[in-house]
């Protein structure tokens, strides 16, 4: 693997926080964004209900695969490749990561990287687009539904982001963003289960598109909220609130080494340690493609630079947190723990159906969304207009 050790502090200026005077400003609610996120959350929760009652079993691992690759589109793509240039990638890998990023349906790479670079440059100041100082909910999702502060707009317009626009993959993903999202984030995840293993089209949509979006989005958003509120600061206790958070490390593919990341944003691992130590799945993904030559010039900080920074600005290191290689048994336990959610999902799929069969005498595998739609169309035909009964959905149990 071609790894480049950076042995100077030349990049640390990226994270030096500038003191910005807060201007009087009242945020406005962006109601279109509120509607978008409200609908996606309702659809996602409904997809969760379908996932334990109605769907075919092949739909569950397919959804997990979509969660994984769409997450990598943000962590390995928009974040570590394009935002921080922590490694370089040849065009096939860049195209693959742009596709994964499109499936995630967060922001396009161009806008995501601008927000993130401004966040690093002005962390926890009025120019930070999702500062934790405005509350946990705000940094998790609220900032996406409110107008931007003038300090953020001013600083965003001040900097040059032409390196992003000069990448044709980033450029055309932004230009074609909405058609690409429609195809790769919604239509294909719905069509593949429907065409290959004959999943119900509505079930496929609510689980593989909406539930997948809900889960992936909230997990990656914890980097802005959870990893800026709870955890130690062994590398830099002076620069904002970025922390090391194990929950985010495991759930967000290694993004939870956040205090390290704010100290060394150009390190492709976003961690002092190799991916083998703490399930840094994004670093493992990059190393895998580096082995085949698709990723190269991987930047990482030397131990001397890390130790100097830790002594200069970090909190005292807990000896119990020292890294060590895991033995085979520990890795087996890690894999089991990682697969537990999928296992519980499978078990609940059977258990809930069996319980409802015992109570009500039928399996819920009878297209529960037909029942829901039937209920609401019945209400509409009763209280709005009788002619709406033509849209009545037939509720049939299998």
């Amino acid at each position: 693997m071609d790894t480049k050790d950076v042995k100077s502090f030349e990049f640390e200026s990226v994270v030096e926080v500038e003191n910005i005077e807060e201007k009087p400003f009242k945020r406005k609610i962006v109601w279109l964004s509120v509607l978008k996120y409200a609908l996606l959350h309702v659809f996602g929760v409904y997809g969760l209900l379908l996932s334990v009652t109605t769907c075919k079993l092949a739909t569950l691992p397919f959804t997990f695969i979509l969660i994984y690759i769409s997450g990598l589109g943000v962590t390995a793509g928009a974040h570590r490749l394009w935002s921080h240039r922590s490694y370089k990638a040849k065009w096939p890998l860049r195209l693959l990561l742009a596709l994964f990023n499109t499936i995630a349906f967060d922001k396009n790479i161009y806008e995501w990287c601008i927000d993130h670079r401004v966040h690093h440059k002005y962390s926890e100041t009025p120019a930070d687009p999702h500062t934790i100082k405005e509350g946990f909910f705000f940094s998790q999702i609220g900032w996406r539904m409110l107008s931007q502060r003038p300090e953020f707009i001013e600083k965003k317009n001040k900097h040059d982001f032409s390196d992003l626009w000069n990448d044709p993959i980033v450029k055309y993903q932004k230009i074609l963003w909405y058609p690409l999202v429609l195809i790769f984030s919604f239509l294909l995840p719905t069509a593949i289960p429907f065409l290959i293993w004959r999943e119900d089209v509505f079930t496929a949509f609510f689980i593989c598109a909406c539930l997948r979006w809900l889960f992936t989005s909230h997990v990656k958003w914890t980097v802005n909220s959870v990893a800026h509120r709870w955890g130690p600061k062994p590398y830099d206790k002076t620069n904002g609130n970025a922390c090391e958070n194990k929950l985010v490390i495991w759930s967000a593919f290694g993004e939870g080494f956040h205090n390290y990341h704010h100290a060394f944003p150009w390190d492709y691992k976003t961690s002092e340690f190799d991916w083998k130590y703490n399930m840094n799945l994004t670093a493992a993904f990059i190393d895998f493609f580096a082995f085949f030559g698709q990723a190269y010039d991987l930047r990482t900080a030397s131990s001397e630079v890390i130790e100097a920074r830790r002594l200069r600005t970090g909190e005292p290191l807990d000896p119990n947190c020292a890294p060590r290689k895991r033995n085979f048994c520990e890795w087996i336990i890690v894999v089991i723990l990682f697969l537990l959610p999928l296992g519980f999902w499978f078990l609940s799929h059977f258990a809930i159906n069996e319980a409802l069969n015992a109570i009500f005498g039928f399996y819920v595998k009878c297209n529960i969304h037909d029942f829901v739609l039937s209920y609401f169309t019945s209400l509409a035909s009763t209280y709005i207009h009788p002619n709406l009964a033509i849209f009545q959905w037939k509720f049939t149990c299998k």
Side-chain angles (χ1 to χ4, degrees), residues 276-288:
K276 303 179 187 68
Y277 290 116
N278 284 297
M279 292 294 287
N280 190 338
L281 296 181
T282 305
F285 175 86
I286 297 170
D287 283 348
F288 175 81

Side-chain angles (χ1 to χ4, degrees), residues 294-311:
Q294 286 295 308
Y296 60 99
D297 284 354
L298 278 60
R299 289 176 170 172
T300 184
S302 66
S303 57
E304 294 82 6
V305 170
I306 295 171
E307 187 62 24
R309 181 63 182 266
R310 192 193 338 259
L311 293 174

Side-chain angles (χ1 to χ4, degrees), residues 37-51 205-215 345:
Y37 286 113
L39 286 176
L40 285 170
H41 277 74
V42 170
F43 291 166
V45 172
Y46 185 49
L48 179 62
L49 173 63
L50 294 177
S51 72
F205 170 75
F206 285 116
I207 296 176
C208 303
C210 301
L211 176 59
R212 181 265 313 158
W213 175 88
L214 182 67
F215 182 85
W345 209 355

Side-chain angles (χ1 to χ4, degrees), residues 25 118 126-127 147-158:
F25 177 74
V118 174
S147 58
Q148 298 170 334
R149 291 192 63 89
E151 296 91 343
F152 167 74
I153 297 173
E154 176 188 344
K155 298 302 180 183
K156 180 177 69 171
N157 294 334
K158 171 184 173 182

Side-chain angles (χ1 to χ4, degrees), residues 62-198:
F62 177 69
T63 304
F64 262 79
I65 292 171
L66 290 176
I67 288 171
Y68 181 66
I69 65 174
S70 61
L72 287 172
V74 177
T75 60
H79 187 207
R80 303 191 194 186
L81 175 61
W82 280 292
S83 287
H84 295 296
R85 303 295 182 183
S86 63
Y87 69 100
K88 296 178 182 178
K90 296 180 179 178
W91 75 263
L93 178 56
R94 299 204 325 273
L95 184 63
L96 181 67
L97 288 170
L99 171 62
F100 288 175
N101 179 268
T102 304
I103 296 173
F105 185 35
D106 191 339
K107 288 188 175 184
N108 60 68
I109 295 169
Y110 183 78
E111 294 178 353
W112 198 100
C113 292
I114 290 175
D115 287 349
H116 192 69
R117 289 181 182 181
V118 174
H119 161 67
H120 270 267
K121 184 69 176 177
Y122 307 103
S123 183
E124 315 301 7
T125 71
D128 186 344
H130 42 73
T131 172
I132 192 67
K133 291 183 178 180
E134 295 199 41
F136 183 90
F137 179 81
F138 174 84
S139 60
Q140 177 76 7
I141 186 176
W143 69 281
R144 298 169 177 272
M145 299 180 285
L146 297 171
S147 58
Q148 298 170 334
R149 291 192 63 89
E151 296 91 343
F152 167 74
I153 297 173
E154 176 188 344
K155 298 302 180 183
K156 180 177 69 171
N157 294 334
K158 171 184 173 182
H159 294 283
D160 179 19
F161 302 105
S162 59
D163 65 300
L164 297 170
W165 194 252
N166 290 336
D167 186 328
I169 291 177
V170 174
K171 177 180 178 179
Y172 286 105
Q173 192 221 27
K174 174 175 169 51
I175 293 173
L176 302 172
W177 176 241
Y178 289 106
L180 289 174
V181 164
L182 180 63
I183 294 169
F184 291 104
S185 190
F186 291 98
L187 292 183
L188 283 180
T190 302
I192 290 173
F194 173 71
L195 295 175
I196 297 180
W197 56 87
R198 309 309 298 174

Side-chain angles (χ1 to χ4, degrees), residues 372-393:
V372 173
L373 292 171
S374 177
Y375 174 76
F376 282 108
T377 51
S378 295
L379 289 179
S381 62
T382 302
Y383 295 104
I384 300 176
H385 197 282
N387 289 343
L388 291 175
I390 63 173
F391 298 107
Q392 185 77 23
W393 287 73

Side-chain angles (χ1 to χ4, degrees), residues 219-397:
V219 166
K220 64 178 181 280
W221 293 342
T222 59
V223 179
N224 299 332
S225 55
V226 176
H228 275 262
R229 173 153 291 185
W230 295 292
K233 302 176 182 178
Y235 305 98
D236 193 346
K237 61 184 177 182
T238 64
N239 180 18
N241 296 311
C243 310
E244 306 280 292
N245 188 282
K246 290 185 178 180
L247 176 64
V248 181
I249 291 170
W250 281 66
S251 62
F253 304 159
E255 295 289 284
F257 301 99
H258 211 52
N259 188 251
Y260 179 92
H261 175 57
H262 271 254
F264 305 100
W266 40 267
D267 191 321
Y268 86 99
K269 302 188 305 295
T270 70
S271 168
E272 177 182 358
F273 314 128
D274 188 75
W275 64 267
K276 303 179 187 68
Y277 290 116
N278 284 297
M279 292 294 287
N280 190 338
L281 296 181
T282 305
F285 175 86
I286 297 170
D287 283 348
F288 175 81
F289 279 93
F291 179 80
F292 293 100
Q294 286 295 308
Y296 60 99
D297 284 354
L298 278 60
R299 289 176 170 172
T300 184
S302 66
S303 57
E304 294 82 6
V305 170
I306 295 171
E307 187 62 24
R309 181 63 182 266
R310 192 193 338 259
L311 293 174
R312 184 161 59 90
T313 61
E315 294 177 345
L317 181 65
D318 184 352
N320 295 325
C321 296
R324 61 184 177 83
K325 290 186 177 181
R326 302 182 187 277
N327 59 42
F328 180 75
C329 292
E330 287 178 310
W331 272 110
I332 294 296
I333 294 173
V334 167
V335 171
I336 292 173
L337 289 174
F338 192 72
L339 294 177
L340 271 180
L342 184 60
F344 280 121
W345 209 355
F346 274 102
L347 289 174
S348 64
H349 184 88
F350 290 109
I352 291 178
N353 275 297
E354 290 291 346
L356 292 175
N357 182 53
I359 296 171
F360 299 108
F362 64 84
Y363 281 98
V364 182
K365 200 173 182 178
C366 54
N367 294 326
I368 194 169
H369 54 264
D370 284 359
F371 171 75
V372 173
L373 292 171
S374 177
Y375 174 76
F376 282 108
T377 51
S378 295
L379 289 179
S381 62
T382 302
Y383 295 104
I384 300 176
H385 197 282
N387 289 343
L388 291 175
I390 63 173
F391 298 107
Q392 185 77 23
W393 287 73
K394 185 179 180 182
F395 177 54
T396 57
C397 292

